[in-house]
Amino acid sequence: MDIGDCYVGWATDEDIRTRGASGGLVTAMLAAALEKGLVEAVVVLKKLGEFEAVPIVTSDPEEVKAAAGSMHSVPIVLSRYLEYGTKVALPAKPCDARSTIEQAKRGQVDIDTTYIVGLNCGGTMHPAMTREMLETVYKLDPEEIVGEEIDKGKLIFETKDGEEHAIKIDELEEDGYGRRESCQYCAVNIPTMADIACGNWGVIGDLAGKGTFVEINTEKGIAILENAIDAGAVEITPADEKGKAIRAKVDGAMMKVAAAADKKYLSPIEGSHLDYYINALSDCINCGACKTVCPVCACGEGAKCTEFSSSSDTYKMSLFHLVRFVHLMDSCIGCGQCTDVCPADIPLTHIYQRFARPIQDEFEYKPGMDMTTPPFFGVDLLEEGH
Amino acid sequence: MNENIFTTVCPGCSIACGMYVREKDDGTFNIDWRKDAVVNAGKLCRFGVRLPANLKAAVSKVDGNEVELSDAVTALGNAIGDGAAFVSVGNTTCEEHLALMKLAESKGAVVNTGMGAFSAISAECHSTMGVGVPLDAIESAKKIVLFIDPYEQYPLLVRRILAGKKNGATVTAVGWKAVSLADDNKTIDPANYESELALDSDSVIIAEINPSTDPERVMVLLNLAKASGAAIMFMKPFVNAVGCDLASKKTEQKSLDQIIAEINDGSIKTLVCLDSDLIEIMPDETAVREALGKLDNLIVITSRASAIADVANIVVATEPFYKKAGTVVNAEGRAVVGSGEGTDGIDAIGVMLGQPADLFAELNSAVLATLGIDAVDERVIPVYEKPEYGVMDANPTAEEVETALVYAGGPFFWNGIVDDNDFVEMNLDMLTANSLLKGIPAKIVSDKGEVVIKYKVSDVAPGVVLSNMKLPMTTGMVTSVTVSR
Amino acid sequence: MAEATATETTNEEWQPKIVMFCCNWCSYGGADSAGMGRFQQPPTVRVIRVMCSGRMDPVFILNAFLEGADGVLFSGCHIGDCHYVNGNYKATIKYKFLKAMVNELGLEDERLKLDWISASEGERYAQVVTEFTEQIKKVGPSPLKPEGVI
Ligand SMILES: Cc1cc2nc3c(=O)[nH]c(=O)nc-3n(C[C@H](O)[C@H](O)[C@H](O)COP(=O)(O)OP(=O)(O)OC[C@H]3O[C@@H](n4cnc5c(N)ncnc54)[C@H](O)[C@@H]3O)c2cc1C
Ligand code: SF4
Ligand code: SF4
Ligand code: SF4
Ligand code: SF4
Ligand code: FES
């Protein structure tokens, strides 16, 4: 097995295979990593309801197995739950993987002992929006939903009676429903930065829907997959060229969709920028959630944005925000967490991205894609010729 | 390290935002965002976010010495005689509150929720005063009138009001400080509310009832709602104030001021406080401390360490709020149940009730019966009858002071916590008039004493010094003061 | 610090408030030389000494604007002359970030400037300050200036 190899795989366990999103390969791999001692802990989502799950850090393979399946209405980033020094594995959408890498650069994650099992991601939805959309657009009772799926550009909900209800994502998003805004313009669909990238794109023929496409990106990727094969937990077969081509094609198509969303949401502000920002932030209640939840920020309690800022400041904007805008310019990955938790419903991700994009373009630096040092960390002496 | 994850609600105010608490083996905890919570979509205000920093576990004590919980419970049994007074403002579950009510009843007493407005206003209004409207109704209102500052007092209302505005509502704020989300910030004489606000059945009025609220003001607002047909919602500063009020015998209750007066005149010798810190809740801290000092027995049953526990004769420390089993009813009347299973408080009180079997189950069915439901579903608000009430003759007392220190309230205020609220606010004219200089704190003097404190320039009413933190020199929610450099 | 309560009473030409951060070893010396050489310079600048231009934290600059500065200048030793090897390279990078930030925020580009001034360049110091002052006079008072602060 070599870096760059592509396979289609599935769990040998019948139960995991049926409950898994596309054959349960990821679940089987994570559980086997625990069972065979490759890792001490695994981060997964513990399902509490159809639209509710909470991240857990567990050493119990049964909890990992129970977590099989993709939750599209759980827009949570898992990297915040990693603890330095534990050998750990996590399933990772591109935003999970990228923030894990950013945390590694800041010494919060030991990249050598962290196995990033990447999941392709076409986007997540906020559960409150999902429920509203079900009621008003699908005309379905959210409590009747037993499964969800994205297929051929349609968002499909399955109800208890076994019926499937599909609506085109484009149409939903036209009306303000569907994926979170940040996911609509998230241009990274395949987690090339993860140790291994898993997804259902490119699985064709008899295996469609029953197998997971995997691409090996690193030595750790080889280790975690071989570990699972040795344990008898998964079976794989080489991916065929047609499948690879289809996967690449869909990825390209999705990137175009993201670029269109970019135009739609992030075209330059008309009129006074300052008025726009002062106005957008005028409802901030200084809860600090946007900082606490940010998965690329490594500051704890005594951070510059909080220590130098106070509610008693008589300023036109809060220093807290201005400092964060600068600090996130090189590292914001547009994961949407800040917008999700803002109690004043301020479109924070949107704002952070507006500040971050010009500088990330200028320095040709894309955070979280690899271990490259961010430009703000200082100057490379050799590069400067000293 | 292992974690226990609790699905719970924030104990900061009567919005009762859904959240997770992740508790480690060593008892420390973090909060996490519960995005599928119907009340708040996972969003929390500063109080909720900073709960780990501000919520300290209580310790059982007898006469100042740390003891085991069981010993504190024994001491409690010996200390409660007839003639004890009971207070529970609503910082605990309905079940625990009900247990205390049973105990009080066995001593021929009632449990006071401390909301004086209830006993001062006729019973037909209680349902309207107690249970508000669904938060969704704010989003679909045509007119929203605020008699509170949502940013400071009930932060998770902000997004609801903003959503209402987006849907076309106009927002009018009547208060001490201009709020930026209002289309119109006004000071209106209560006599002119009806004509100036011009409300109708598509309007929502948002106000507050707290232990210091003047009942006459509540009556004015009830009259306004009745005359216009507008919906009205009274927010409460305590997470389960609504649930506790629903269960309570409101007409027999005393206000906190009355209780303090009766301690002072010697008719109350023993006071039992269930998660109710009078030192923190009442504006005149020194007066409360003095009165409490006169008691033979101050008994505190509490889930968190707070000022009153430090001066109590007996402290019965129960599990933190997020671990409690039982029901909480928020300002909308929505019932929620967390995943906690703790019953320390109920068990402690149960000892004095002769340890009835299945006490929790019994209390829980009584709570469900009060709510008229078979089981709690956080997504379905129980149906409450809101009887018609008559127009009342109301004469709210106008505060006639030249310069007044005014408490705005808010979760940090009611919990006696200094966080990022250690400053006062006043307008630019006040600075000029009192020769204040930038960077130099202001000196604020009352009859009782003075503080030197940071200030911030805000769009506050003339003559008002607004505070969200309890200051030691106040005599009420409004205190006459002078300001200087 | 400005008096929050003071109000503008004169009809004289508006004088901007400029905060200037100078590194200890070069630019601060430059300010000294300018004074000793009696080079003409406008009274618009408040100088804050930092040990090195590399010590410049974006917090300082943002805070200056929020406090009511109409413009912020920061300066250090010429490239290659930094007394801490490469502090001014770091300053250059931060400056790029801050420029991008200030632009997106909608503050005029003219309000922020980085320049190198050595200890002996008294005349140049005066020139930089004069030019910057003229530049700020053209764009007028900062829109971030808090109410009541002149
Ligand atoms: C939100 C989302 C969107 C996706 N979109 C695409 C797509 O567009 N194209 C594509 O090819 N593949 C997509 N995938 C990946 C695909 O759905 C499968 O996860 C992947 O094929 C692996 O399947 P499996 O059966 O091996 O995984 P499983 O065995 O089912 O294991 C899934 C693992 O993912 C974790 N998980 C579930 N939901 C989340 C979440 N929201 N965030 C983080 N971890 C989660 C679970 O805890 C579990 O450990 C998406 C996955 C998710 C979670
Ligand atoms: S930000 Fe990108 S990777 Fe993260 S959930 Fe959205 S689409 Fe997926
Ligand atoms: S600033 Fe917001 S969008 Fe950017 S990484 Fe942080 S949480 Fe994600
Ligand atoms: S999450 Fe929203 S309200 Fe809270 S500090 Fe951030 S911007 Fe302000
Ligand atoms: S204090 Fe009130 S508004 Fe704030 S998080 Fe707690 S319940 Fe929600
Ligand atoms: S010492 Fe002058 S720039 Fe570093």
Side-chain angles (χ1 to χ4, degrees):
Chain A
M1 197 177 282
D2 286 312
I3 291 171
D5 285 358
C6 293
Y7 303 92
V8 172
W10 53 86
T12 48
D13 183 292
E14 194 51 40
D15 177 49
I16 298 177
R17 197 171 174 189
T18 41
R19 283 190 305 107
S22 58
L25 178 88
V26 168
T27 298
M29 226 164 19
L30 293 172
L34 264 184
E35 278 163 341
K36 300 259 288 175
L38 188 67
V39 297
E40 303 153 85
V42 169
V43 184
V44 282
L45 286 176
K46 180 174 178 167
K47 194 166 172 172
L48 299 178
E50 200 47 44
F51 313 109
E52 180 174 9
V54 61
I56 53 168
V57 186
T58 182
S59 306
D60 179 359
E62 294 312 312
E63 283 194 309
V64 175
K65 289 173 189 168
S70 294
M71 299 199 73
H72 298 277
S73 294
V74 179
I76 293 176
V77 170
L78 301 182
S79 57
R80 277 208 304 124
Y81 304 90
L82 296 169
E83 230 175 84
Y84 194 93
T86 353
K87 280 196 276 175
V88 63
L90 75 159
K93 308 180 292 299
C95 55
D96 297 309
R98 294 175 71 187
S99 52
T100 302
I101 288 172
E102 285 303 298
Q103 291 295 350
K105 292 178 191 172
R106 290 161 179 76
Q108 306 295 307
V109 161
D110 183 354
I111 201 71
D112 297 331
T113 60
T114 305
Y115 292 80
I116 308 174
V117 178
L119 307 174
N120 293 358
C121 183
T124 49
M125 301 177 291
H126 195 291
M129 188 286 307
T130 305
R131 287 177 182 274
E132 192 192 313
M133 176 178 70
L134 282 165
E135 281 168 1
T136 58
V137 186
Y138 284 79
K139 311 272 183 233
L140 293 173
D141 178 358
E143 303 307 321
E144 291 294 307
I145 305 301
V146 290
E148 78 221 32
E149 194 189 351
I150 296 174
D151 191 31
K152 302 205 175 68
K154 285 186 178 157
L155 178 61
I156 307 161
F157 287 96
E158 194 191 326
T159 39
K160 279 179 187 158
D161 55 14
E163 294 279 321
E164 286 193 348
H165 310 261
I167 297 183
K168 277 205 179 127
I169 294 181
D170 286 354
E171 287 169 20
L172 294 170
E173 287 171 2
E174 201 57 40
D175 296 336
Y177 294 104
R179 298 168 299 162
R180 300 176 307 149
E181 185 190 301
S182 48
C183 295
Q184 293 181 41
Y185 52 69
C186 174
V188 185
N189 310 303
I190 298 177
T192 50
M193 74 299 298
D195 293 311
I196 181 168
C198 309
N200 51 34
W201 292 344
V203 185
I204 48 174
D206 288 349
L207 283 170
K210 298 188 198 92
T212 304
F213 189 105
V214 293
E215 180 179 357
I216 309 281
N217 295 333
T218 67
E219 292 295 336
K220 274 185 286 159
I222 297 177
I224 195 164
L225 182 54
E226 281 189 339
N227 175 72
I229 296 169
D230 291 350
V234 309
E235 281 167 9
I236 57 168
T237 169
D240 59 39
E241 291 306 319
K242 204 170 149 207
K244 284 191 212 171
I246 288 177
R247 177 173 177 259
K249 201 174 143 202
V250 186
D251 185 28
M254 287 295 284
M255 282 199 228
K256 282 211 187 95
V257 173
D262 230 281
K263 275 227 181 72
K264 175 174 167 190
Y265 295 111
L266 291 166
S267 51
I269 297 167
E270 282 170 28
S272 157
H273 285 211
L274 197 61
D275 287 349
Y276 170 85
Y277 289 117
I278 289 179
N279 190 31
L281 295 171
S282 66
D283 294 310
C284 170
I285 53 170
N286 191 24
C287 72
C290 48
K291 165 184 172 279
T292 314
V293 84
C294 179
V296 298
C297 168
C299 303
E301 277 278 300
K304 255 177 207 163
C305 58
T306 50
E307 292 299 286
F308 292 98
S309 179
S310 153
S311 290
S312 66
D313 293 336
T314 308
Y315 294 151
K316 288 208 168 155
M317 290 178 91
S318 101
L319 185 60
F320 169 75
H321 287 299
L322 294 189
V323 171
R324 274 189 56 76
F325 292 157
V326 186
H327 285 189
L328 270 297
M329 282 173 112
D330 60 358
S331 52
C332 174
I333 55 167
C335 68
Q337 294 305 302
C338 45
T339 296
D340 280 2
V341 299
C342 177
D345 285 349
I346 300 169
L348 290 164
T349 303
H350 182 116
I351 295 176
Y352 282 110
Q353 282 289 304
R354 282 193 180 280
F355 282 95
R357 296 216 171 182
I359 213 83
Q360 293 184 5
D361 289 347
E362 183 179 344
F363 283 92
E364 291 178 12
Y365 172 79
K366 222 172 163 187
M369 302 304 279
D370 51 44
M371 287 295 282
T372 313
T373 315
F376 206 26
F377 271 27
V379 222
D380 185 333
L381 294 186
L382 295 173
E383 204 174 286
E384 297 293 349
H386 288 270
Chain B
M1 208 180 290
N2 270 329
E3 267 187 334
N4 263 320
I5 302 173
F6 296 88
T7 305
T8 181
V9 297
C10 167
C13 79
S14 59
I15 296 179
C17 295
M19 67 187 331
Y20 301 118
V21 165
R22 313 179 74 100
E23 193 192 61
K24 300 209 184 86
D25 287 344
D26 63 4
T28 59
F29 70 93
N30 284 313
I31 61 101
D32 210 338
W33 285 265
R34 184 182 168 225
K35 294 181 181 177
D36 198 31
V38 59
V39 170
N40 57 322
K43 296 151 191 271
L44 300 167
C45 79
R46 189 177 178 90
F47 189 87
V49 172
R50 297 190 48 81
L51 202 58
N54 294 324
L55 188 79
K56 298 271 172 291
V59 183
S60 292
K61 278 184 190 164
V62 174
D63 296 327
N65 302 316
E66 280 186 31
V67 297
E68 293 292 320
L69 173 61
S70 56
D71 295 331
V73 172
T74 311
L76 169 69
N78 297 335
I80 296 189
D82 288 342
F86 297 82
V87 179
S88 166
V89 295
N91 280 322
T92 188
T93 62
C94 293
E95 284 78 0
E96 210 173 275
H97 182 84
L98 211 54
L100 190 71
M101 282 177 63
K102 277 183 176 291
L103 176 63
E105 212 169 279
S106 74
K107 306 287 176 197
V110 296
V111 174
N112 301 285
T113 57
M115 302 284 194
F118 278 96
S119 36
I121 298 177
S122 78
E124 58 192 13
C125 301
H126 287 180
S127 181
T128 307
M129 289 162 63
V131 179
V133 296
L135 293 172
D136 288 344
I138 300 174
E139 299 191 4
S140 54
K142 293 266 183 324
K143 254 188 193 173
I144 302 166
V145 183
L146 303 172
F147 289 92
I148 52 152
D149 176 346
Y151 297 101
E152 301 293 347
Q153 293 181 271
Y154 297 97
L156 261 292
L157 290 181
V158 169
R159 57 187 288 266
R160 302 295 192 154
I161 299 165
L162 289 173
K165 260 180 94 168
K166 230 184 192 168
N167 294 335
T170 50
V171 180
T172 308
V174 186
W176 302 108
K177 178 180 163 190
V179 289
S180 70
L181 54 60
D183 300 293
D184 223 351
N185 284 285
K186 285 186 171 175
T187 13
I188 310 176
D189 182 339
N192 302 332
Y193 280 164
E194 252 181 80
S195 55
E196 287 218 23
L197 292 168
L199 306 181
D200 59 27
S201 56
D202 288 328
S203 313
V204 173
I205 304 166
I206 307 177
E208 180 188 53
I209 295 178
N210 67 49
S212 299
T213 303
D214 174 9
E216 302 284 335
R217 276 197 58 78
V218 177
M219 289 189 220
V220 170
L221 296 176
L222 286 166
N223 287 347
L224 174 65
K226 181 170 169 70
S228 59
I232 189 161
M233 171 152 200
F234 288 100
M235 305 302 296
K236 318 279 177 335
F238 315 116
V239 59
N240 191 28
V242 175
C244 293
D245 268 319
L246 282 172
S248 296
K249 295 193 169 51
K250 301 170 192 79
T251 45
E252 296 166 34
Q253 296 204 12
K254 295 172 186 134
S255 69
L256 296 185
D257 282 334
Q258 273 170 299
I259 291 172
I260 295 295
E262 288 182 23
I263 296 174
N264 282 331
D265 73 21
S267 42
I268 295 176
K269 291 270 179 222
T270 299
L271 181 67
V272 183
C273 295
L274 175 61
D275 271 301
S276 304
D277 189 328
L278 303 194
I279 298 174
E280 287 171 356
I281 293 167
M282 299 187 69
D284 191 343
E285 179 174 331
T286 27
V288 176
R289 284 184 185 273
E290 231 168 76
L292 295 179
K294 293 178 189 158
L295 290 165
D296 290 344
N297 260 312
L298 173 60
I299 299 165
V300 167
I301 308 172
T302 186
S303 60
R304 68 179 188 101
S306 73
I308 200 169
D310 294 336
V311 298
N313 302 90
I314 299 169
V315 181
V316 177
T318 62
E319 66 282 270
F321 181 75
Y322 60 80
K323 281 186 161 176
K324 287 190 191 296
T327 316
V328 166
V329 183
N330 82 347
E332 305 167 280
R334 188 187 299 278
V336 283
V337 172
S339 65
E341 294 178 342
T343 54
D344 286 353
I346 292 169
D347 295 344
I349 296 167
V351 171
M352 280 165 288
L353 296 170
Q355 265 170 334
D358 290 332
L359 179 55
F360 179 81
E362 183 194 327
L363 296 167
N364 181 245
S365 10
V367 170
L368 294 180
T370 308
L371 296 172
I373 51 176
D374 299 329
V376 168
D377 177 348
E378 67 168 321
R379 297 191 178 270
V380 183
I381 301 179
V383 182
Y384 298 90
E385 297 241 353
K386 290 190 181 172
E388 286 290 320
Y389 53 87
V391 176
M392 289 158 279
D393 184 18
N395 301 297
T397 37
E399 302 286 350
E400 293 203 5
V401 285
E402 200 177 326
T403 308
L405 178 83
V406 175
Y407 285 136
F412 288 100
F413 174 85
W414 294 108
N415 284 282
I417 292 166
V418 181
D419 184 78
D420 195 16
N421 55 346
D422 53 346
F423 59 93
V424 296
E425 296 177 71
M426 46 194 134
N427 68 21
L428 209 51
D429 294 340
M430 285 271 284
L431 305 196
T432 324
N434 298 299
S435 327
L436 297 186
L437 289 183
K438 190 173 187 305
I440 302 174
K443 185 155 97 182
I444 301 174
V445 185
S446 77
D447 290 348
K448 255 181 76 187
E450 62 169 67
V451 290
V452 175
I453 189 166
K454 275 190 296 190
Y455 65 86
K456 170 182 184 166
V457 184
S458 304
D459 200 354
V460 177
V464 169
V465 181
L466 204 62
S467 175
N468 282 304
M469 181 180 73
K470 261 275 281 289
L471 298 171
M473 26 58 85
T474 53
T475 49
M477 293 301 273
V478 176
T479 305
S480 175
V481 293
T482 56
V483 177
S484 58
R485 201 188 308 171
Chain C
M1 295 247 164
E3 277 199 22
T5 53
T7 43
E8 225 170 340
T9 49
T10 55
N11 287 326
E12 279 167 33
E13 194 200 0
W14 172 72
Q15 291 293 342
K17 284 215 165 84
I18 292 166
V19 176
M20 181 169 184
F21 295 94
C22 293
C23 88
N24 183 52
W25 303 106
C26 288
S27 319
Y28 198 74
D32 259 355
S33 308
M36 300 225 274
R38 299 181 184 274
F39 294 109
Q40 270 286 326
Q41 43 172 311
T44 48
V45 170
R46 280 83 175 143
V47 175
I48 297 175
R49 180 166 52 163
V50 287
M51 285 312 281
C52 169
S53 67
R55 173 63 183 93
M56 275 314 303
D57 193 304
V59 173
F60 300 170
I61 287 162
L62 298 170
N63 205 23
F65 280 124
L66 290 173
E67 284 284 348
D70 297 299
V72 178
L73 251 175
F74 72 110
S75 72
C77 317
H78 287 275
I79 292 292
D81 294 346
C82 173
H83 292 56
Y84 304 97
V85 186
N86 61 357
N88 42 16
Y89 280 110
K90 292 175 180 157
T92 314
I93 294 210
K94 292 183 203 184
Y95 183 61
K96 275 196 182 166
F97 273 75
L98 279 161
K99 270 284 179 188
M101 152 92 190
V102 160
N103 279 333
E104 180 54 38
L105 191 62
L107 275 182
E108 295 83 351
D109 191 56
E110 291 87 338
R111 293 193 191 278
L112 178 65
K113 189 173 160 64
L114 167 70
D115 214 328
W116 311 125
I117 303 169
S118 79
S120 57
E121 293 175 321
E123 188 170 6
R124 194 173 130 68
Y125 174 93
Q127 188 195 340
V128 166
V129 166
T130 308
E131 277 173 19
F132 191 65
T133 302
E134 287 312 310
Q135 193 172 310
I136 299 298
K137 276 187 184 165
K138 271 192 208 121
V139 288
S142 162
L144 267 186
K145 197 186 279 293
E147 219 178 304
V149 175
I150 56 159

